[in-house]
């Protein structure tokens, strides 16, 4: 059903995001990602999580790095995982995994491509990716369409976990419309970079569409900034009940 696996650079990719969970799985940071994965799994005891949106309040806050690395940890568990690049304005997944972006999510929503051509297997066992496809003039309309709802349902029937890399909440409405239909949403918050007012506004915007906010991931936290268990680059996962 899927295209032939592409070779993934084991070193830091020149384009896209770094996959430390693949290139250095025994590192402290990789272990932190696995801890985040476990916390997300336990954040919803009443409902099985099959689709999760990863977003942030503003651009360049690390949502793609976090979502892609957490996806790798799920794949390491033996789950069939699909990363969907829903950031049609600033796509990165095709660069990270060195796959073609000629056919992807935008094609499927515009009915100009097939699911077979839009999904690529990767060198990482159990992990497949769907790039954004050509950048359309109307991303929000496509992502908010009934076709997107139907596609998400179809994908969750094929894969154990669908990880959706969405645009920032405060920049465009794309993340809101996606979060309204996913099983859960994670907000990535870089310590010392994200503005508190912006994060609060993003949370309110997600609540407006009744998104199931599972929690927030504090990233770019240094040992000096964080005295808790999660030292290093990724600060940890905080559920929605945390203050």
């Amino acid at each position: 059903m899927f295209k032939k696996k592409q070779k993934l650079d084991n070193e830091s990719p020149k384009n896209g995001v770094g996959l430390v969970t693949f290139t250095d799985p025994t590192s402290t940071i990789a272990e932190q990602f696995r801890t985040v994965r476990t916390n997300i799994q336990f954040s919803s005891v009443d409902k099985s999580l099959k689709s999760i949106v990863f977003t942030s309040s503003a651009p360049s806050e690390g949502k793609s790095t976090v979502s892609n690395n957490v996806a790798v940890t799920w794949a390491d568990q033996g789950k069939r995982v699909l990363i969907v690049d829903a950031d049609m304005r600033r796509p990165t997944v095709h660069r990270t995994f060195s796959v073609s972006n000629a056919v992807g999510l935008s094609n499927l929503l515009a009915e100009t491509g097939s699911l077979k051509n839009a999904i690529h297997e990767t060198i990482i066992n159990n992990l497949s990716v769907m790039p954004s496809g050509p950048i359309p003039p109307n991303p929000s309309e496509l992502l908010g369409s009934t076709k997107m709802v139907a596609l998400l349902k179809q994908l969750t029937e094929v894969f154990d976990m669908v990880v959706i890399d969405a645009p920032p909440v405060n920049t465009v409405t794309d993340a809101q419309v996606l979060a309204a239909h996913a099983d859960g949403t994670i907000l990535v918050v870089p310590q010392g970079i994200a503005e508190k007012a912006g994060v609060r506004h993003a949370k309110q915007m997600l609540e407006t569409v009744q998104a199931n906010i599972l929690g927030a991931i504090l990233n770019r936290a240094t040992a000096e900034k964080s005295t808790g268990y999660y030292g290093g680059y990724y600060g940890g996962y905080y559920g929605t009940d945390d203050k």
Side-chain angles (χ1 to χ4, degrees), residues 28-40:
T28 300
I29 296 175
E31 180 59 31
Q32 290 168 351
F33 275 121
R34 288 190 286 271
T35 301
V36 167
R37 173 204 66 200
T38 301
N39 288 343
I40 293 174

Side-chain angles (χ1 to χ4, degrees), residues 184-187 202-204 206-207 211-216 237 239-240:
T185 299
I186 297 290
L187 195 61
K203 182 174 181 288
Q204 291 170 354
L206 292 171
E207 290 173 339
N212 178 23
I213 305 175
L214 300 174
Y237 170 87
T240 52

Side-chain angles (χ1 to χ4, degrees), residues 70-125:
V70 173
V72 171
T73 68
W74 267 310
D76 287 342
Q77 281 189 322
K79 295 182 180 294
R80 296 194 64 203
V81 182
L82 175 69
I83 300 175
V84 176
D85 193 344
D87 193 340
M88 296 183 183
R89 293 172 173 85
R90 298 180 62 187
T92 60
V93 167
H94 66 289
R95 295 190 180 96
T96 300
F97 293 92
S98 300
V99 300
S100 172
N101 198 33
V103 179
L105 178 60
S106 62
N107 299 93
L108 297 180
L109 298 180
E111 298 183 330
T112 59
S114 67
L115 192 63
K116 178 181 178 180
N117 293 328
I119 294 179
H120 302 258
E121 290 186 347
T122 72
I123 196 171
I124 301 173
N125 291 335

Side-chain angles (χ1 to χ4, degrees), residues 1-227:
M1 175 181 178
F2 306 131
K3 289 186 174 181
K4 187 177 180 180
K5 292 186 179 184
Q6 301 289 328
K7 183 178 180 180
L8 182 67
D9 185 1
N10 285 358
E11 303 298 325
S12 178
K14 294 180 179 179
N15 297 302
V17 302
L19 295 175
V20 66
T21 46
F22 175 69
T23 59
D24 193 7
T26 61
S27 66
T28 300
I29 296 175
E31 180 59 31
Q32 290 168 351
F33 275 121
R34 288 190 286 271
T35 301
V36 167
R37 173 204 66 200
T38 301
N39 288 343
I40 293 174
Q41 289 172 328
F42 280 99
S43 65
S44 180
V45 294
D46 296 327
K47 181 180 180 181
S48 175
L49 298 174
K50 297 274 290 183
S51 58
I52 298 181
V53 168
F54 284 77
T55 185
S56 57
S57 62
S60 302
E61 293 190 340
K63 63 177 179 59
S64 295
T65 299
V66 172
S67 62
N68 287 205
N69 276 282
V70 173
V72 171
T73 68
W74 267 310
D76 287 342
Q77 281 189 322
K79 295 182 180 294
R80 296 194 64 203
V81 182
L82 175 69
I83 300 175
V84 176
D85 193 344
D87 193 340
M88 296 183 183
R89 293 172 173 85
R90 298 180 62 187
T92 60
V93 167
H94 66 289
R95 295 190 180 96
T96 300
F97 293 92
S98 300
V99 300
S100 172
N101 198 33
V103 179
L105 178 60
S106 62
N107 299 93
L108 297 180
L109 298 180
E111 298 183 330
T112 59
S114 67
L115 192 63
K116 178 181 178 180
N117 293 328
I119 294 179
H120 302 258
E121 290 186 347
T122 72
I123 196 171
I124 301 173
N125 291 335
N126 305 312
L127 182 64
S128 300
V129 298
M130 177 186 290
S132 68
I135 299 175
N138 56 342
S140 296
E141 292 180 19
L142 290 178
L143 294 173
S145 65
T146 55
K147 292 185 180 67
M148 183 66 207
V149 178
L151 176 61
L152 185 58
K153 183 177 184 298
Q154 182 181 6
L155 294 175
T156 54
E157 291 174 350
V158 176
F159 293 91
D160 299 317
M161 176 63 69
V162 177
V163 173
I164 305 171
D165 184 357
V169 179
N170 295 342
T171 305
V172 290
T173 61
D174 302 8
Q176 282 182 280
V177 297
L178 289 167
H181 300 296
D183 293 333
T185 299
I186 297 290
L187 195 61
V188 176
V189 182
Q191 185 175 10
I193 297 176
E195 297 181 355
K196 185 179 294 186
V199 175
R200 286 177 175 171
H201 183 259
K203 182 174 181 288
Q204 291 170 354
M205 295 289 283
L206 292 171
E207 290 173 339
T208 299
V209 296
Q210 298 182 329
N212 178 23
I213 305 175
L214 300 174
I217 294 176
L218 183 66
N219 68 327
R220 299 183 184 176
T222 64
E224 289 76 16
K225 294 177 182 177
S226 177
T227 58

